[in-house]
Amino acid sequence: LAAAVARPVEPREGVDEDERRARMRELLEGPENEDSPAIVVRAVPEAEGTRTVVELWHDGSKDAGIEALRRARAALDPLRLELASIRLLELVGEDPGAGLEPVQVDVASAEDARGAGLGRLLPLFVVLVVLAGGSVAALAAFAGERENGTLETLLVQPVPASSLVRGKLVAILVAALASAVAKAAALALSSSVGAAVEWLPAGSIPVGRAALAALVFLPGIVQLAAALSYVASGARTFKEGQVALLPLNLVALLPAALAMAPDVELDSLFAALPIAGPALALREALSGTLPPGPAP
């Protein structure tokens, strides 16, 4: 596609521009000639003793010519920058400010670096997984029973209504926890076999930190399950429940996104906020900076 033909070098003076264009167009055209190039590269000196100009002749009406031009420019740009740097060094010398460019040296251990990287994104991931897994159970527990006509039969049983609500909440919570555990196991398995993410530092997270992170985020999962139960209980159909749960997904992601902000620290105010407190606690637990006592 990017085949190029080098033409003999000839000065610009004394050569008719229209004639040059006609010769190049004739070379680039040729529908019956499969060997016709997509681009012609010519190195032409502007005048004797001056710089040489690289000309890229192509047919802008053809995809092959446009792609060949892009590839040729991509190949020439690094060379141009390298030659410019060499020439600048010859004329000016060493840059006196080059030594002031800082060199970053991260002293964090592999466990701390990986834990901090996971802690910034994992709360969002867990919230999405919990909502996805728990919403199915929530819709089936309320809207599904309304559509099937089994909710009335359930309510006439000699069981307190509060017990029925708690039972449905526990079922939704179990479904959400099962979804989160399954996704966490899949993430750990993929990471152990080498399917690493580019932005995530290499290393492993101690089991104690992972267990502590799961423990401190458990209240957040309970809060999400309760919110799912509350929203889904007012839906009369599955479709209506799906529409009602969509804003909940968006609202729940906002406090969880605080874990991505490095300037937001876990304190007594954020610890009291739903979702935000468990998300920040999960981040601190994975990075190994969670305080042993109450948040200051």
Side-chain angles (χ1 to χ4, degrees), residues 142-151 236-240:
F142 293 99
E145 290 209 34
R146 281 195 176 97
E147 287 187 336
N148 296 330
T150 58
L151 186 59
R236 291 171 293 182
T237 62
F238 242 89
K239 185 176 181 179
E240 183 180 336

Side-chain angles (χ1 to χ4, degrees), residues 75 124 139 172 181 193 278:
L124 287 175
L139 291 175
I172 296 171
V181 170
V193 298

Side-chain angles (χ1 to χ4, degrees), residues 252-286:
L253 289 176
L254 293 178
L258 291 176
M260 302 182 65
D263 296 335
V264 178
E265 298 181 356
L266 180 63
D267 55 17
S268 56
L269 175 61
F270 285 111
L273 294 178
I275 311 300
L280 293 173
L282 185 147
R283 184 191 68 181
E284 303 298 330
L286 288 177

Side-chain angles (χ1 to χ4, degrees), residues 158-291:
V159 179
S162 58
S163 299
L164 296 177
V165 173
R166 284 195 296 268
K168 291 182 179 295
L169 176 60
V170 171
I172 296 171
L173 179 59
V174 170
L177 283 172
S179 179
V181 170
K183 296 299 183 181
L187 178 63
L189 179 61
S190 61
S191 178
S192 63
V193 298
V197 186
E198 294 182 359
W199 55 265
L200 192 60
S204 60
I205 299 178
V207 178
R209 288 191 190 180
L212 180 60
L215 180 63
V216 296
F217 197 76
L218 184 58
I221 298 179
V222 175
Q223 293 166 2
L224 291 173
L228 286 171
S229 301
Y230 178 78
V231 175
S233 63
R236 291 171 293 182
T237 62
F238 242 89
K239 185 176 181 179
E240 183 180 336
Q242 290 175 339
V243 174
L245 289 178
L246 179 59
L248 176 62
N249 285 265
L250 300 177
V251 171
L253 289 176
L254 293 178
L258 291 176
M260 302 182 65
D263 296 335
V264 178
E265 298 181 356
L266 180 63
D267 55 17
S268 56
L269 175 61
F270 285 111
L273 294 178
I275 311 300
L280 293 173
L282 185 147
R283 184 191 68 181
E284 303 298 330
L286 288 177
S287 61
T289 58
L290 183 67

